[in-house]
């Protein structure tokens, strides 16, 4: 599938101290696209204690740069041919912390 004509950007943690309010807004490279993937446009996002714990490497070393925020409302902008969940481009949906 062709590369999308949009960029990926978000609040990025570059080191453990970013959990103390030192995140930076920047573009980032997502993982390589797979046909099981769904690209999303985030419209709302919560940051919780799990995100802060991740930024501080509380569950093991965090791979920086790190873009946290897993309690999100999103709109599907690209859906792979093998994606599950019957999600179509343009659908608005929410996903909690336990997703891939």
């Amino acid at each position: 599938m062709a590369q999308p004509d949009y960029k990926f950007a978000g609040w990025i943690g570059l080191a453990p101290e970013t959990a103390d309010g030192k995140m930076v807004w920047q573009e980032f490279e997502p993982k390589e696209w797979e046909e099981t993937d769904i690209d999303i446009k985030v419209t709302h996002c919560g940051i919780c204690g799990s995100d802060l714990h991740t930024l501080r490497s509380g569950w093991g070393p965090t791979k920086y740069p790190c873009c946290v925020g897993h309690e999100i409302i999103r709109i599907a902008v690209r859906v792979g041919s093998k994606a599950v969940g019957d999600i179509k481009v343009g659908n608005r949906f929410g996903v909690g912390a336990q997703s891939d």
Side-chain angles (χ1 to χ4, degrees):
M1 182 176 275
Q3 290 296 322
D5 63 351
Y6 47 85
K7 302 286 185 184
F8 290 80
W11 287 104
I12 305 295
L14 301 175
E17 58 272 10
T18 58
D20 299 323
K22 298 178 181 170
M23 298 181 82
V24 295
W25 183 265
Q26 68 181 38
E27 290 183 3
F28 63 90
E29 282 293 320
K31 71 173 194 62
E32 188 171 327
W33 172 263
E34 299 175 23
E35 286 299 317
T36 54
D37 290 336
I38 300 171
D39 273 356
I40 58 165
K41 176 181 179 182
V42 175
T43 61
H44 301 80
C45 180
I47 300 294
C48 73
S50 296
D51 297 307
L52 298 176
H53 204 64
T54 297
L55 287 171
R56 292 181 177 127
S57 296
W59 288 308
T62 296
K63 183 180 174 187
Y64 299 103
C66 177
C67 184
V68 297
H70 60 266
E71 298 167 341
I72 60 179
I73 302 298
R74 58 192 86 188
I75 298 171
V77 295
R78 180 167 68 152
V79 179
S81 62
K82 297 179 183 175
V84 298
D86 197 33
I87 295 173
K88 309 283 187 250
V89 170
N91 286 165
R92 179 181 300 269
F93 60 104
V95 174
Q98 311 309 318
S99 62
D100 188 17

